Amino acid sequence: MLIARLAVIPLSLLVDRVTGDPRSRFHPVALLGQFIAFWGDPRKIRPSLQRAAGVVMWVATVALFSFPFYLAEAFLPWYALLVAAPVLLKVCLAWRSLEEHVDAVERALSASLPEGREKVSYMVSRDPRELSEDQVRSAAYESLSENLVDSIVAPLFYYALFGLAGAAVYRAANTMDAMLGYRDERERIGWFPARADDVLNYVPARLASGILLLYFAARGRYTPALRCLRQDAKKRPGFNGGLPMAVIAGGCGARFDKPGAYTIGPGERSLSDAGRDIIGAVRACTLASAALFMLIPIFLALFIQFI
């Protein structure tokens, strides 16, 4: 059973690389989003009740989404789980699709700036209408760098610790933050989802940053990566998202620029030049974190055996 558990992580990444993210409203995460959109509309709840509703519905959403994952792992025989678990874990992560979105922005920019602005609007929440070509490209690579944690490292981390249900709990929590965690009319109902996402990403963001520092050390870029981490990581709001962004920007010599909000990185190279290196860093961190997290079930099994 332990061997099957270990095999799920690399198999899920293989499934992701082969299939990508099927675009269907019946995809489990799409259905999750529809459910969150239904209860997360602040117009449906009195302002005085919105914070409490956010807590209650966060718990309900996490439980509903993760329960089928728990049932699969609890009751399927190991040989069936070896087939089903990589597919179920893949539901909770997205690697290939992140690269595809960036590639779509690059191809659109090669055609025209308006097309690039349109494509990047699918990746970020900022208004793209006034963005320059460099800022459009920056938005795409910022999203890739930040979502290294949200869409890859964190789901694998929670799978390694808690199995399929752990990955599903994280995916539900992160999706709620992505849809509700804004300082607008959703602020009260989204307060708890945003704080929960901060807590859940705290360790994965720092693990990813550490892996990235080792990667850039191997490439002779440790010092600029560490310098940017120390100087720029806190420029981005939140506890976690700025960490991988700063390490990648410094290690690749690039600059991420969100107008009116922050600039991260030294800007030694243009993003059009550094783009391939950013994708390479994300790939290296994905594979290294997968290898690292495969050790966690082994340590847990040994710990249980000796207590």
Side-chain angles (χ1 to χ4, degrees):
M1 184 64 181
L2 178 60
I3 295 176
R5 176 90 179 265
L6 294 177
V8 168
I9 290 178
L11 287 174
S12 68
L13 293 178
L14 178 62
V15 171
D16 179 86
R17 296 307 294 184
V18 171
T19 65
D21 267 347
R23 295 183 181 180
S24 169
R25 62 191 181 94
F26 298 109
H27 187 285
V29 177
L31 294 173
L32 170 66
Q34 293 170 37
F35 180 61
I36 296 168
F38 170 75
W39 67 258
D41 185 347
R43 295 171 298 181
K44 297 178 179 178
I45 306 171
R46 283 191 297 175
S48 60
L49 299 177
Q50 285 178 7
R51 288 183 181 268
V55 175
V56 171
M57 292 308 299
W58 186 93
V59 173
T61 302
V62 160
L64 285 171
F65 186 72
S66 62
F67 189 56
F69 292 79
Y70 165 77
L71 290 178
E73 195 159 49
F75 295 106
L76 285 177
W78 71 267
Y79 49 85
L81 194 61
L82 189 58
V83 176
V87 176
L88 291 172
L89 180 55
K90 186 270 166 288
V91 167
C92 299
L93 58 88
W95 175 19
R96 174 177 155 179
S97 67
L98 291 177
E99 294 185 11
E100 288 176 338
H101 282 303
V102 172
D103 185 60
V105 171
E106 287 283 13
R107 285 187 282 108
L109 280 174
S110 67
S112 71
L113 178 56
E115 290 185 41
R117 288 169 175 166
E118 179 186 358
K119 287 295 183 183
V120 86
S121 68
Y122 301 137
M123 299 183 70
V124 296
S125 59
R126 71 194 68 168
D127 186 349
R129 289 175 294 181
E130 300 301 322
L131 297 181
S132 68
E133 180 176 332
D134 286 343
Q135 290 166 343
V136 167
R137 189 171 279 113
S138 176
Y141 286 106
E142 286 172 55
S143 179
L144 173 65
S145 301
E146 179 184 2
N147 280 293
L148 166 63
V149 175
D150 294 3
S151 297
I152 304 172
V153 174
L156 294 179
F157 174 73
Y158 285 107
Y159 169 77
L161 283 178
F162 304 113
L164 289 174
V169 165
Y170 174 79
R171 176 46 53 220
N174 184 252
T175 304
M176 282 185 276
D177 173 63
M179 295 182 65
L180 304 175
Y182 295 93
R183 294 189 179 277
D184 54 20
E185 68 278 1
R186 296 165 289 184
E187 182 173 4
R188 284 184 293 270
I189 201 167
W191 177 86
F192 185 79
R195 299 293 79 75
D197 185 74
D198 286 341
V199 171
L200 289 172
N201 273 325
Y202 190 88
V203 172
R206 283 149 184 83
L207 285 173
S209 299
I211 292 169
L212 286 165
L213 284 173
L214 292 175
Y215 167 76
F216 286 116
R219 294 175 60 88
R221 294 284 301 177
Y222 175 79
T223 298
L226 181 62
R227 183 188 305 118
C228 190
L229 174 65
R230 289 173 171 171
Q231 292 179 350
D232 293 351
K234 293 183 180 180
K235 289 182 178 180
R236 184 194 178 280
F239 299 110
N240 306 308
L243 297 175
M245 289 171 59
V247 177
I248 289 174
C252 294
R255 174 176 292 147
F256 297 139
D257 176 19
K258 183 176 182 180
Y262 56 75
T263 58
I264 294 175
E268 301 162 3
R269 305 165 67 197
S270 68
L271 279 168
S272 58
D273 180 41
R276 290 294 101 189
D277 288 340
I278 293 173
I279 291 174
V282 169
R283 288 178 176 175
C285 185
T286 296
L287 297 175
S289 62
L292 175 64
F293 297 156
M294 287 174 66
L295 299 176
I296 292 178
I298 298 175
F299 290 138
L300 291 176
L302 290 174
F303 178 75
I304 292 171
Q305 182 179 350
F306 286 104
I307 61 172

